[in-house]
Structures are given as C-alpha cells and as structure tokens.
Amino acid sequence: MDRRAKIKDIALRAGVSPATVSRALSDSGLVAEPTLSRIREAAQSLDYRPNVRARNLRTQKSMAVLLVVRDVSNPFYLEIFKGVEATAREAGYSVLMGNTENHPDRELEYFDMLRDGHADGMVLMNGRLPSSHARDAEQLARLPIVVALEIIEGCPLPHVQIDNAASAYGAVKHLLSLGHRRIAHICGPVPEVMSVLRREGYRKAMAEAGLAVPEGYEPIGDYTIPSGAELCRQLFSRPDKPTALFVANDEMAFGAINELRKLGLDVPGDVSVVGFDDLFLSECFYPPLTTVSQPRADIGKQAMKQLLRVMNGDDSVEALVEMPTTLKIRGSTGPAKTSDN
Amino acid sequence: MDRRAKIKDIALRAGVSPATVSRALSDSGLVAEPTLSRIREAAQSLDYRPNVRARNLRTQKSMAVLLVVRDVSNPFYLEIFKGVEATAREAGYSVLMGNTENHPDRELEYFDMLRDGHADGMVLMNGRLPSSHARDAEQLARLPIVVALEIIEGCPLPHVQIDNAASAYGAVKHLLSLGHRRIAHICGPVPEVMSVLRREGYRKAMAEAGLAVPEGYEPIGDYTIPSGAELCRQLFSRPDKPTALFVANDEMAFGAINELRKLGLDVPGDVSVVGFDDLFLSECFYPPLTTVSQPRADIGKQAMKQLLRVMNGDDSVEALVEMPTTLKIRGSTGPAKTSDN
DNA sequence: CTGAAAGCGCTAACAG
DNA sequence: CTGTTAGCGCTTTCAG
C-alpha cells in the first residue's frame, strides 16, 4: 500500500459513500454518530489526508494569501510578516511571499496571481497600483485586497496605516521641547505620500513654534543609510548648522549619526537625532535611537484581519484602520546647548 | 460577459478543441502555425488566464515551495528569503512562508503541508526534523526537501551550509594575530550542531596557539542581545578578564559591546570583539563590527537550486554544498595592548 | 441522515 | 498536427 489514501478508499472501508465521508471529515454535523466514528477510524487507520489541490479546485479557493512588499530583504517588514503569518495561520490560510522590487511588471504579476487563483486575497504594501488597475475604482474595490503600511491615494481599498503626519509632528515637538530651534528634516523620497506626510508633520510643528524652515533644511533622501550620511554632511556644511535632525526613517538616521561621528560631533551632546520606524537594532545602536515606533506586528495582524473579513464578504470591513505610534525617547536626543538658542 | 473565460470558450471561438488550446498555450510546439496564432488571438481577446487550481489538480503540482524558518522575524533570514524567492520565481515557483517558532507541532505541520500538496518542495532551515520523520531515513530521503543554513546530523537530505568550524577558526586566528591571548568565546546554545561547530573552531585555534581555555571562558548564550550582554558582564567580573571576545553571532556581540561600553571599556581599545553572521547593520553599528560574513543570498539561491533539482528528479543534486564565508575586518577589533600580553 | 451523480477546469493518453 | 475521451480528488446539489 504505497499510494495515498483517497476519500474513496476510506468510503469503501467504512462502508459508506464518498459524499458521507466528505461530510464527516468536514465536521458538517450532517453525519450521525455510529457512522461518524466509523469513518474517522477508517480515515485514521488509512492515514488519510485530504488532497488540497482537489479541494481547491472544487471550492474555488486556495486558502492562501499574498503578502506583497517592495523588498523582502527590508528589515522593516519582519514583524509585519510575523503578524500577518500568525493571523493567517489561525484562520487556516498560508502566506505567499511577494517581492516587487519596485518593478511595475512584478507588481502587476501579483495582481495576476490573485486573478489566477494562486491566492484568495492580498495584503499590499507596495505603495501603488499597477496602472491597468488604477483606472477602474469600481472593479478595484471588489478585489480582495487590503493596503497596509503604505498609503495609496484615492484608492477605494481598505487601508491599515499609521498617522504619519501626527507621528512626525510629535517627534519634532519632542525636539522643540528640548529647546532646539534649528531643526532640519531629512526627508523621504517625495512625492511618495508617506514622505510627504512626515514632512507635513515636521512643517506643522515648526510653524506652530514660530520657526521658519530655511531653504535646504529639508533635503530629500531615499531611505537608505548612505543617503542619510550624505544629506547629513550637506546639512552640516552650511553656516546655519542644525542642532537637531528629524530623519524620516531609522536607516537614514543611522547613516546620519555615523556621519556626525565622523564630523566630530557628539550625539546627543552637539546634535540630537530622531528617527522613524524603530527598527530591530535601533535600540541597541549607539547611541540608542530616539524614534517613532510603529506597531508593526499589529499592523500585520490588523491587515490580515481586515483581509479575512473582505474575503468572507463580511461587511464590517473598515475603510481605514489607523494604528497608534509611540515616540520612544532614547539616547540620541538631549537638550539643546544654551549657547545655540 | 462577467465570468472568466475558460479554455472551452477560447476553443469555441477559435474553432478548435480544448486540447489544442491547451497545447497551444503551453508552447508545446505541437500546434501548427495558422491554428496557433488564431488561438493566441482568441485567448488574448477573451483576456484568458488559465485557472491554476484546475491545472494543479490535473498535474499534481502546486508550483509552490515552502520556506521554513524558526522565526520569520529574525533579520538573519532576510537575504535568504530574497535568494530563495528570486530563484524560485525564475523557475515559476512561488514561495510559502513557514514559521515554526521552534514548536515541534508546527514543524510537523509543514511536513504535512508538503504531503497534502500545498507545496512541491521545502527549504528547511529549522535545524531539526519532526520526531516522526527522523526515524525512517529511507523514506525521508525521498522527500523533496533541502536543508539549508542549519545542519541536521545524520540526515540523508541534501544540505546547503557553511563551514562553521573553519569560519570560527579563522575569526579567532584574526584575534590571535592581533596579539590577543586571553580570548573568550560567547557560545551559542549547545548542543545545537552549529554552536558546537563554532566552538570547535575556537578551541582548535586556541589549542594551536598553545593557549589553554580557562574554565568559564566559554559561557553559553541563546543568540539574543540580552544574553550577549549578560554573559559579557560575567566574563568581565572575573579576575582574568579577556582582552578579546569571539561571539557566536552578531546579536550577542551587539549586546556584549553595549555592555562593555557600560563597563567603561573601549572597543577595540580595551577589548576586541568578533561576531558571526554579518547582519544588516553590523557595518553601521558603532564600532563597525568585525564579523564572519555568510553569503546569505547565495545560500538561499543554492538551496532553491538544489531543491529544483530534487523536484525535477535531477540526479545532479549534491549531498552537501558548502558556501564560502569571509571575515569582514572592521572597527571592533584591534591590537592587544602590550601590557596585556 | 445518506447516496447518486455531476462537475470544478484543465491536461494527457490515445487515436487518427 | 488535431480531436476525443477520460479523469485528477474532492464537494455539493438533489433525491430519497
């Protein structure tokens, strides 16, 4: 007996029809007791396992979801993976990794996978839609997709995100409260929404404090370490050097801090730095980075939860779930030197 | 026309049989030219996409592989994900995330998924087998599984790994060449093979240098930052404080360095530290960490390549692929103080 | 509560 | 080169 037992085999052994076996094994409650346990025993003794491919065809489901990111090797996603994976598992879904590398072709590919039945739903963290899909809002809204982390403007799909502007605002407020006045902002790749929003928060806090943002105080980076270093160097070659930096993500903040060290400037003695994201390692960096912490695992969980609702046709889907951030005040920020005020 | 076109629809429109359509669309080369393009056009105009679920059932394949790790949120895996994903994609496979959290139940679960046809193969980075499978080597060897990164002793499956002992040996040699004599080793969770091998490399280098390893110079950690900090503190409360540390992974090395800072010791001025793994951020850590760099993306690629061979019944599968490591010498190691010799 | 029958959409013999 | 036929293994009407 080498081949896998199928439902038919167990029907034969239990002396019932395949249909009954199917019903018994799916806990439908439609099978009576003497039969039920007979079937279960037969299944057990034959070491039966349902063939998912057959089931998938019949039910037109895959019990899998697609988790699409720009770059699987970005550490930022790690805990989101975990959150999504945990929630998906619980509901019986498995998770397919999608990696777009910011290629429009690949972005489209995952939409196709959805269409083709590779997966039943998708958590999209890609920040944009394939152009072919962006047009028709009606049709788009019907797709089983939840947008997480990133924000796609004017997109009718449910979103799970943080309040980027408010979080940035809070971070800058913190610097202000420490007495800083010359606060520069190393910005993300505008015009991406997320970067724009974080910059907005910065501007709002500055404006409220009655501070003008000097020309060139908002250089634009690309979220990478070298970019943070480079822009920091630029900023500190100015006559009006900042005493504090609000950096749009932690990686650029790392780059900036290392650059400051090279310039002989102490953090936070000479310059305070606030990041955004709270990466693994931001805490054990030296100095420990003050940063806006996103509840990444929860974002993953929420996104998957929403997606489950979408896939179940549950109408309690929320168009927008906003997750709270917290400013983690650590060692990279300190009071402004009084001479600098 | 709302419903998806199926092969039958396009057969109808092109005036051929479904079988011919299937052949045409799969580039089998069995369809002649006038027919071929007619079919392609029909498919195009109907916006046809094959239903993967039907195909999967028919072909008894899933065109998916399972990538099983202990903890998806461990940054170490990031580039491996990328390597596996890239190679899998190229071959038309998608990648399912598997996360065991070191639970035997979950480990088994993924083996079951393989059996059940969720995936056609598995890259196992879990370091052990479910007890139910460990017994029967014959049967195990027939499963489409490649073990990567971790080493499972006596397991007949193909492995893709690095030479842990030799890499550790090289790391310690580096410290020796800098004049260090009191070199301690913060060890991983023995008796796990990987930790044992790294310790072996350390011991070998020490022995060759004619140095005895003092009692307690090889404390055992669990690869986490706090564990590195704690063991470092212990080590430096001894009378015979080390002048150098070889730490079994980068995370514990981070913990150790932060602890040294707290103790008022300079790295590398007072103490040199070598890590293992070369994480994202090890380079931008302060001081930049000297560490053994594993070619993670390549490990992922190789593992997937081997798995493709296994799944294709290709007999060129190598039982063991050993990937080369390189010692990245950065700022956390320096010459021993002469007074310490 | 159980059985019979139909079919999900595709591919692969087997003929022609 | 193309058509016919027969399932892959399961679930789900529809009857009884």
Side-chain angles (χ1 to χ4, degrees), chain B residues 64-177:
Chain B
V65 297
L66 219 40
L67 179 50
V68 178
V69 301
R70 293 166 186 269
D71 174 9
V72 265
S73 72
N74 186 330
F76 183 81
Y77 295 122
L78 285 171
E79 292 171 44
I80 299 192
F81 288 170
K82 199 166 191 166
V84 169
E85 198 269 348
T87 309
R89 272 181 51 71
E90 245 173 59
Y93 284 85
S94 36
V95 179
L96 283 162
M97 280 192 340
N99 189 25
T100 66
E101 311 270 358
N102 280 325
H103 283 324
D105 291 355
R106 313 240 334 228
E107 293 166 12
L108 183 55
E109 197 176 302
Y110 292 108
F111 275 75
D112 284 341
M113 285 183 66
L114 202 59
R115 264 218 298 182
D116 298 349
H118 268 107
D120 304 327
M122 167 155 82
V123 174
L124 187 62
M125 306 204 282
N126 191 54
R128 65 181 178 198
L129 299 167
S131 50
S132 47
H133 288 257
R135 317 272 171 206
D136 190 347
E138 294 263 322
Q139 200 156 344
L140 188 60
R142 260 193 286 280
L143 293 177
I145 301 177
V146 170
V147 177
L149 203 63
E150 307 266 355
I151 302 161
I152 305 178
E153 277 176 307
C155 165
L157 296 166
H159 278 66
V160 176
Q161 62 189 53
I162 57 163
D163 187 334
N164 283 277
S167 306
Y169 174 83
V172 178
K173 272 296 211 189
H174 166 62
L175 291 171
L176 288 166
S177 76

Side-chain angles (χ1 to χ4, degrees), chain A residues 4 47 49 52-53 62 71-72 78 82 89 95 97 106 109 115-116 258 261 284-286, chain B residues 4 47 49 52-53 62 71-72 78 82 89 95 97 106 109 115-116 258 261 284 286:
Chain A
R4 281 177 71 103
D47 194 25
R49 308 226 91 216
V52 286
R53 292 185 275 246
S62 296
D71 174 9
V72 263
L78 284 171
K82 200 166 189 166
R89 272 180 52 71
V95 180
M97 280 192 341
R106 311 236 340 225
E109 196 175 304
R115 265 216 299 181
D116 298 351
N258 284 340
R261 190 155 21 225
C284 79
F285 194 77
Y286 186 74
Chain B
R4 281 179 71 104
D47 194 26
R49 307 227 92 216
V52 287
R53 290 185 275 244
S62 298
D71 174 9
V72 265
L78 285 171
K82 199 166 191 166
R89 272 181 51 71
V95 179
M97 280 192 340
R106 313 240 334 228
E109 197 176 302
R115 264 218 298 182
D116 298 349
N258 284 340
R261 192 158 17 230
C284 79
Y286 186 76

Side-chain angles (χ1 to χ4, degrees), chain A residues 22 24 27 34 38 74 89 92 97 117 156 174-175 184 199 224 249-250 257 267 282 287 317 320 330 333-334:
Chain A
S22 172
D27 289 319
R38 196 148 37 89
N74 187 328
R89 272 180 52 71
M97 280 192 341
H174 166 63
L175 291 170
R199 189 172 62 187
T224 65
N249 78 337
D250 282 2
I257 291 177
V267 178
S282 296
V317 183
L320 174 61
R330 298 201 271 243
T333 49

